[in-house]
């Protein structure tokens, strides 16, 4: 069930009414909302519901085992290890089994060894990476003492299945969600103005900006790079950087807005990532819930940057390579993570050498922005490409492609430029505009939203493509 569809609008109306009418009856409310979330998840394929249900039950039992093992350190660590491995094993079977088996077959073939292990025809469940990481984070937080005790079964089921962020995040933490499940919000104090603002902005990003760039520029160039000039390829690379941001942040805006209407505030996932002046800064702004998860549950436990340059380089490489592999079972995603790892390490060296030069801070920021944006854009080539060969063909065409360039139109250049320039709007100004809208009279809000939705409907495509991050 896609957000920008009539089916979801009808579903959300039912969920909204059920949420607020049943909220006083705590158990009935939780059961109903869980059932609605499972219905939402099963819309794509009812078989997915069984997997999500198994994850909920399995992690509830794992949390109980952790509580039982708490008095003994080694027993607690062993229990957590088994639980984390079990979660990752399920993710690995559905998402990576075919990739690793095929890679092993190809690797052995280079040495003249023929192997034919069984290949399983498995459908990748939507959102499995997201709810698996949420479950692992919950168990680790419980082990660390960030949660005093395991969540009740219905609370855990609500947390792992909450439909606004179930399919593509943000990756919410139990420490953030659990208190919100238990409290009783006043429906009269729901920030509806902020919610509708976010939903409308999200729809505009997805249906207008992302869809337009995909159909008119990015898809034609990435699908057949050899048919396009270097100028078209370069513009498509920049265009995809804007497209994926508009697509994913648009989804997040809608998810946060829907959650607000239900009385929940889930964390922001983006903060103008293309204004970053370093890759480290970029990862504080892009997919914040994933980058902070990798930092807190992988990078820091590995030792972070506290054990010398070599160990730090190792930790950065492991974190980014696994972060790349998290996105999909393909070497293109591994290369995407490798480019970011290399960029982060080069950045550390350059920063150390740059400081004594006395170069003005403004110049440093401009150089840092140019470096960061173009490393990110280069990495997006591998992220978007269907295969490693297609990515290399596109980069070759970027250097060797000739003229003409009919896709390089004034409108596309203006759209990409405006989208990047919007990243530099001061956050206070954007927040003030949203808050001013939220304080206006409901009638004026309704007129403004109707006008905005009309623009989206007129400029958007006839059909709705799935959000890019649905595949992860």
């Amino acid at each position: 069930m896609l957000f920008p569809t009539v089916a979801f609008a009808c579903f959300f109306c039912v969920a909204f009414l059920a949420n607020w009418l049943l909220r006083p009856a705590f158990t009935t409310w939780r059961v109903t909302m869980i059932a609605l979330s499972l219905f939402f998840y099963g819309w794509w394929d009812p078989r997915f519901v069984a997997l999500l249900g198994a994850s909920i039950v399995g992690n509830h039992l794992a949390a109980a085992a952790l509580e039982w093992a708490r008095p003994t350190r080694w027993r607690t660590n062993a229990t957590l290890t088994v639980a984390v491995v079990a979660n990752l094993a399920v993710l690995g079977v559905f998402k990576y089994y075919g990739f690793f088996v095929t890679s092993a077959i190809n690797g052995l073939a280079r040495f003249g060894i023929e192997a034919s292990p069984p290949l399983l025809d498995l459908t990748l469940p939507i959102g499995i990476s997201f709810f698996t990481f949420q479950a692992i984070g919950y168990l680790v937080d419980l082990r660390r003492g960030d949660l005093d005790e395991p969540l009740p079964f219905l609370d855990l089921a609500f947390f792992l299945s909450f439909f606004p962020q179930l399919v593509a995040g943000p990756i919410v933490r139990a420490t953030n969600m659990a208190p919100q499940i238990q409290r009783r919000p006043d429906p009269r104090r729901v920030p509806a103005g902020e919610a509708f603002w976010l939903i409308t902005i999200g729809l505009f990003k997805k249906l207008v900006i992302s869809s337009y760039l995909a159909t008119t520029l990015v898809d034609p160039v990435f699908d057949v790079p050899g048919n396009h000039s270097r100028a078209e390829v370069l513009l498509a690379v920049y265009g995809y950087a804007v497209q994926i941001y508009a697509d994913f942040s648009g989804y997040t805006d809608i998810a946060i807005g829907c959650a607000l209407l239900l009385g929940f505030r889930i964390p922001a996932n983006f903060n103008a990532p293309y204004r970053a002046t370093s890759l480290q800064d970029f990862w504080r702004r892009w997919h914040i819930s994933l980058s902070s998860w990798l930092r807190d549950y992988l990078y820091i436990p590995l030792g972070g940057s506290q054990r010398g340059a070599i160990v730090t380089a190792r930790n950065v490489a492991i974190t980014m390579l696994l972060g790349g592999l998290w996105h999909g079972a393909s070497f293109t995603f591994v290369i995407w993570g490798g480019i970011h790892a290399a960029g982060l390490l080069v950045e550390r060296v350059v920063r150390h050498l740059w400081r004594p030069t006395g170069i003005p801070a403004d110049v440093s920021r401009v150089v840092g922005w140019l470096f960061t944006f173009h490393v990110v854009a280069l990495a997006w080539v591998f992220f978007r490409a269907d295969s490693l060969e297609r990515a290399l063909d596109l980069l070759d065409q970027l250097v060797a492609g000739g003229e003409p360039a009919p896709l390089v139109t004034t409108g596309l250049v203006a759209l990409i430029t405006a989208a990047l320039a919007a990243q530099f709007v001061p956050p206070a100004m954007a927040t003030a505009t949203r808050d001013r809208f939220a304080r206006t009279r409901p009638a004026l809000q309704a007129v403004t939203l109707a006008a905005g939705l009309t623009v989206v409907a007129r400029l958007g495509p006839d059909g709705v493509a799935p959000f890019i991050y649905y595949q992860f």
Side-chain angles (χ1 to χ4, degrees), residues 108-184:
L108 292 172
R110 292 193 180 98
F111 297 96
I113 302 173
E114 292 187 6
S116 55
L119 287 173
L120 304 178
D121 184 17
L122 297 173
T123 301
L124 177 64
I126 292 176
I128 185 172
S129 299
F130 288 92
F131 67 72
T132 298
F133 269 32
Q134 283 194 186
I136 291 173
Y138 161 64
L139 296 175
V140 174
D141 287 345
L142 189 61
R143 167 64 183 87
R144 290 174 175 174
D146 295 333
L147 288 168
D148 294 332
E149 58 184 6
L151 299 181
F153 177 75
L154 290 179
D155 285 21
L156 178 62
F158 191 109
F159 164 63
L160 290 181
S161 67
F162 188 48
F163 72 86
Q165 48 75 226
L166 170 63
V167 176
I171 301 172
V172 182
R173 303 193 186 190
T175 50
N176 171 272
M177 197 69 173
Q180 297 190 69
I181 297 172
Q182 289 291 327
R183 67 187 174 89
R184 304 290 193 275

Side-chain angles (χ1 to χ4, degrees), residues 283-301:
W283 281 105
R284 293 191 186 107
R285 297 170 177 271
W286 175 273
H287 204 346
I288 298 169
S289 63
L290 174 63
S291 59
S292 60
W293 194 100
L294 291 171
R295 178 196 65 206
D296 295 342
Y297 299 111
L298 180 59
Y299 180 70
I300 291 177

Side-chain angles (χ1 to χ4, degrees), residues 196 199-200 203-204 446-459:
F196 285 122
I199 291 170
T200 304
L203 290 172
F204 183 82
V447 171
T448 305
L449 289 172
L453 293 175
T454 300
V455 170
V456 171
R458 292 292 298 272
L459 297 180

